[in-house]
Every structure is written in C-alpha cells, then in structure tokens.
Amino acid sequence: MRYGKKYQESAKTFEKHALHTAAEALDICQKTAKAKFDETVELHVRLGVDSRHADQQVRGAVILPNGTGKSVRVLAFARNEAADLAKEAGAEFVGAEDMMQKIQTEGWLDFDVVIASQDMMGIVGRLGRVLGPRGLMPNPKAGTVVPAAEVGRAVTEAKAGKIEYRLDKTNIIHCPIGKVSFGTDKLQENLDALMDAIVKAKPAASKGQYVRSCVVATTMGPGVKINPGRFVPA
C-alpha cells in the first residue's frame, strides 16, 4: 500500500514499533494529525479469541463519556406511544412499514443508528440483508432492540455517544473514540470506558493473553501502539 507524503512524514516522527501509554499514544496522534478537517481518532484492538466460535464472540455497547464528536442521525422503528417517545428523544426518523419500504424501494440509508422496539423486529428482520452488512441491524446485545417503553432512552443514549463494539472476522474491534480536537484527557476517558467494557466482555472460553494489541490512529494518520499489558481482565 502506498501512503501519502503527509502520512509518511508523520510516521517518521515516532518509533512505530514502540509501545506507549494511552496518553502518550493519543498525544502522538494529535501531533501527527495533518488533515484540514477535525480527524476522528479510532481505536483498533486485536483480541486473543476466535470469532468463528459462538462462545468466543465479543460484542456490546458503551456510552463514551465525551461522545464521539459526531452528529448521529437516528432511525427508530416504533409505533404509537413508543414512536412518540422516540420523537421526543430526538430521533430524526420514526416509523414502521413506511420506513421499511423506503429502505427497500429507494435504497434510502441516510441514518447512522437504527433503534427498534421489540414488537418491530418482524418488520426490521426483513431488512437484514441491507442493514446487516453495514453494521446497522438492531441487536439486543448492543442495546438497539428494546421494550417499547425504553425506546426514548435508547435514542437518547445513541445521540449522546453510545457506540457498539464487535469483533470482525480477523478478531479485531474497530471503534471511534472521538475527535482530535477533544484533547488527550477527553480522548483517554473515552478510550478507558471502551477498553473497560471490552475487558469485562472477555468470554469464559478465551485462553491466554486476551488483549493482543491495541492501536490508536487518526482518520488520515499512522497507527500508534499502546502497551496491551495494561488491559488485563480482573
């Protein structure tokens, strides 16, 4: 892979194989952010599990203390009182069959998070092939499928910076933890909240070292390694 000039210049400013504290790594990320926009800071965590086995899946959701810095557009599948709760909580789009048809017939995907009340899953389930590959399918483990009375709370949490973490096929979790403009302290608070959740989610079937590697990087910048030894399950 060929990298741009700014990326290469940034990569030369630190030792790429060195293991840093979280604060050091985040500080380097900010110093090497060269883009003209406020870059997102992402966390990439490789775990010592095998995602091919059901008993070694790692998935959940966590509210970042300082949010993601991104404006989140929420689509809520809900009816009656649950729909009213979703609207009051700030959901941009609320509906049922009408929203399903809009997605199916128009290819409409102008939203970032999908919340569904439990009674709506018969409708939402028909959108699995569209929403699933894009990471938008509601799931109880991620807190995006909830009882009708809790739809408003779920929307509020999503707007406040709740993110989902889950393993990909290579046993790595990729998540945003904020923007460069947040500064080291706020980024570290978000990183710690996410890592605490990932560590607590360690499957009982996982053996050996759980957190194998931990890397932070900005949207356009090089990855900076954090010492994985500090993330040890209790």
Side-chain angles (χ1 to χ4, degrees):
M1 182 182 292
R2 296 186 63 183
Y3 295 104
K5 183 178 179 180
K6 290 183 179 179
Y7 179 102
Q8 294 181 41
E9 290 176 350
S10 294
K12 292 177 182 178
T13 63
F14 65 96
E15 173 52 57
K16 68 177 182 179
H17 296 298
L19 298 179
H20 303 271
T21 65
E24 290 170 345
L26 291 168
D27 190 49
I28 292 172
C29 276
Q30 292 168 87
K31 289 178 179 177
T32 57
K34 304 295 185 181
K36 294 181 179 180
F37 59 91
D38 191 6
E39 296 181 58
T40 295
V41 179
E42 301 167 350
L43 178 67
H44 308 276
V45 186
R46 184 166 66 89
L47 300 180
V49 298
D50 189 341
S51 61
R52 294 174 298 179
H53 301 291
D55 62 351
Q56 294 188 48
Q57 288 292 326
V58 179
R59 181 176 186 176
V62 62
I63 298 176
L64 299 181
N66 302 297
T68 63
K70 179 181 178 181
S71 178
V72 179
R73 299 166 299 174
V74 177
L75 164 61
F77 281 93
R79 284 198 180 100
N80 305 321
E81 292 182 9
D84 292 336
L85 291 172
K87 292 175 183 176
E88 290 172 6
E92 282 78 4
F93 313 103
V94 182
E97 287 89 353
D98 55 334
M99 291 297 172
M100 177 191 70
Q101 292 173 0
K102 185 175 179 67
I103 293 170
Q104 286 182 327
T105 61
E106 300 177 22
W108 176 69
L109 291 167
D110 294 334
F111 45 85
D112 305 297
V113 178
V114 181
I115 305 292
S117 61
Q118 292 171 339
D119 60 314
M120 290 284 99
M121 287 310 292
I123 293 173
V124 180
R126 303 176 202 175
L127 299 171
R129 291 185 179 180
V130 179
L131 301 181
R134 294 170 173 80
L136 293 170
M137 191 66 183
N139 185 285
K141 290 183 179 180
T144 46
V145 177
V146 296
E150 296 182 19
V151 168
R153 174 187 58 78
V155 171
T156 298
E157 290 179 349
K159 303 289 278 186
K162 185 174 185 178
I163 61 168
E164 180 181 359
Y165 59 87
R166 62 184 298 181
L167 285 175
D168 66 10
K169 294 180 180 179
T170 61
N171 304 317
I172 299 176
I173 290 173
H174 310 270
C175 284
I177 57 170
K179 297 287 187 178
V180 168
S181 61
F182 279 21
T184 299
D185 290 345
K186 288 185 176 181
L187 287 170
Q188 181 159 3
E189 287 177 0
N190 282 355
L191 183 151
D192 288 343
L194 176 56
M195 286 306 303
D196 284 348
I198 291 173
V199 168
K200 289 177 181 177
K202 178 186 178 183
S206 172
K207 305 299 180 184
Q209 185 177 352
Y210 179 52
V211 179
R212 296 289 179 85
S213 69
C214 186
V215 176
V216 287
T218 59
T219 306
M220 306 295 288
V224 186
K225 296 181 179 181
I226 295 175
N227 185 351
R230 67 172 293 231
F231 306 113
V232 180

